Amino acid sequence: MRNMEGGSYPRSLAFTFLPEFLSMNFLMAGMMPIASLGRVAVGGRFSPLTPEFWFVMSMALLAGFVVAHPMNWWLVANGLKHGMLTLRDQPAARYVDEPSHATHQPVVASPNEEHAGQATASRGEIVWMTVLSAAAFGLGVGAMMIIHGNM
């Protein structure tokens, strides 16, 4: 990621934080209820030393992937996160109203990534997605608390 942002580690952290924050909120929103249900179902045997633990955690990760997929799709489609087939040579603008410093198009871009390397989402859209991801995370925490009887 550092090389994709012109060799600057602080810059790569700054541009990576928001997409990872949004993605991880959705991942955790999907994982927490499933892991909680599994823990309740397994009971006292819920230990990393048991196959039940790893089965439950695998199912929770699968649920998290499914829940996070739409957000990850949006992030890639709007140039805020790189897809698996995206390679960028130069740093690029992250917002529509920010000038691009890129001198080349991506070397490889997925067919669905029309504007790879340059964010096409407005700041307003990014704010709404941030609110949506925080709400999804809150719902995941709430579901987990209800499952464990803490609400």
Side-chain angles (χ1 to χ4, degrees):
M1 293 302 298
R2 185 181 69 208
N3 292 339
M4 293 170 72
E5 295 302 334
S8 170
Y9 185 71
R11 183 179 163 113
S12 68
L13 281 178
F15 289 134
T16 303
F17 179 80
L18 181 67
E20 292 305 317
F21 176 76
L22 299 177
S23 180
M24 289 305 291
N25 278 348
F26 274 88
L27 180 78
M28 293 306 296
M31 284 186 71
M32 287 185 288
I34 302 303
S36 295
L37 285 171
R39 184 174 186 164
V40 168
V42 170
R45 301 180 317 265
F46 199 70
S47 162
L49 302 175
T50 64
E52 293 89 357
F53 172 87
W54 293 106
F55 176 76
V56 168
M57 295 312 288
S58 296
M59 294 302 102
L61 185 58
L62 180 61
F65 168 79
V66 169
V67 171
H69 188 267
M71 175 57 80
N72 286 324
W73 184 280
W74 183 83
L75 289 166
V76 171
N78 285 283
L80 294 167
K81 189 174 185 177
H82 67 87
M84 290 178 63
L85 298 175
T86 306
L87 299 174
R88 296 186 194 121
D89 283 339
Q90 300 291 324
R94 295 293 174 217
Y95 304 102
V96 173
D97 54 349
E98 184 178 311
S100 174
H101 302 289
T103 57
H104 301 98
Q105 289 295 324
V107 177
V108 178
S110 65
N112 295 327
E113 202 171 344
E114 188 176 314
H115 302 286
Q118 187 173 15
T120 59
S122 68
R123 288 186 192 268
E125 290 172 318
I126 293 169
V127 167
W128 277 113
M129 288 304 208
T130 303
V131 169
L132 181 63
S133 78
F137 181 76
L139 287 173
V141 170
M144 180 182 70
M145 294 176 76
I146 289 170
I147 291 166
H148 286 289
N150 295 334
M151 273 188 123

